[in-house]
Amino acid sequence: MGIIYIDADACPVKDEVYRVARRYEMRVLVVANSQMRVPTDELVELVLRSGFGEVDDWIAEQVGAGDIVITTDIPLAGRCLAKEARVLDAKGHALSDNDIGSALAMRELMNDLRQAGEVRGGPAPMTPKDRSRFLSKLDETINAVRRAHPGV
């Protein structure tokens, strides 16, 4: 079975990932810039990377087919998709090669609007509906990976 990688520094669904991964007996690598609490579980490991971009680089180097990446970082998602991993954002949206171009364009547009003072703030806060969607999509993605990569 593949590995679940969490781009952890700003991930609001780590506890949900731990719960689902435990049910499927999947390994979880929590990759972060700073120390954080993770469950005492042989399937969960904290990987620390300190420099700018090192978390993304490490995940992109390690990930492969049959793995799942949880991230809201669009460039990282693109790198992981190129290595045939599945990617989910924290609100339960699966990202595909078809989504990356438009997601990058939207990211740039929003950045430009923020710089111009037209838009303030960041993404909307997580809601119970978002968490429910994430749990459902993670479960669905794990089962899809199991069907596509039986032995991984």
Side-chain angles (χ1 to χ4, degrees):
M1 177 49 63
I3 298 169
I4 300 175
Y5 292 84
I6 303 176
D7 181 5
D9 288 312
C11 181
V13 291
K14 290 185 285 290
D15 290 335
E16 289 83 352
V17 173
Y18 304 146
R19 193 168 62 235
V20 173
R22 192 172 298 119
R23 186 171 65 232
Y24 286 100
E25 297 181 358
M26 287 186 72
R27 188 166 173 223
V28 177
L29 296 179
V30 181
V31 190
N33 291 41
S34 59
Q35 192 71 273
M36 62 179 56
R37 296 176 68 116
V38 297
T40 305
D41 186 321
E42 63 184 20
L43 293 173
V44 179
E45 179 183 344
L46 177 62
V47 177
L48 294 174
R49 293 290 177 255
S50 59
F52 179 77
E54 284 188 34
V55 167
D56 295 354
D57 290 344
W58 191 87
I59 291 171
E61 289 167 8
Q62 301 298 313
V63 74
D67 293 333
I68 300 169
V69 178
I70 311 302
T71 188
T72 56
D73 185 301
I74 301 304
L76 173 59
R79 293 168 70 188
C80 294
L81 288 168
K83 294 185 77 178
E84 300 182 26
R86 308 281 178 117
V87 180
L88 292 177
D89 73 9
K91 293 190 176 184
H93 301 109
L95 295 168
S96 70
D97 289 324
N98 295 334
D99 303 323
I100 295 299
S102 61
L104 281 171
M106 180 59 78
R107 177 179 172 235
E108 289 301 315
L109 173 63
M110 294 306 290
N111 187 45
D112 290 347
L113 291 172
R114 274 192 289 280
Q115 294 292 328
E118 299 291 323
V119 173
R120 293 193 172 105
M126 290 287 290
T127 65
K129 185 176 180 179
D130 294 329
R131 288 185 191 283
S132 177
R133 181 185 324 105
F134 176 81
L135 285 166
S136 175
K137 195 64 173 180
L138 180 57
D139 193 71
E140 178 184 315
T141 302
I142 290 170
N143 283 304
V145 164
R146 285 182 157 187
R147 285 189 302 276
H149 302 277
V152 171

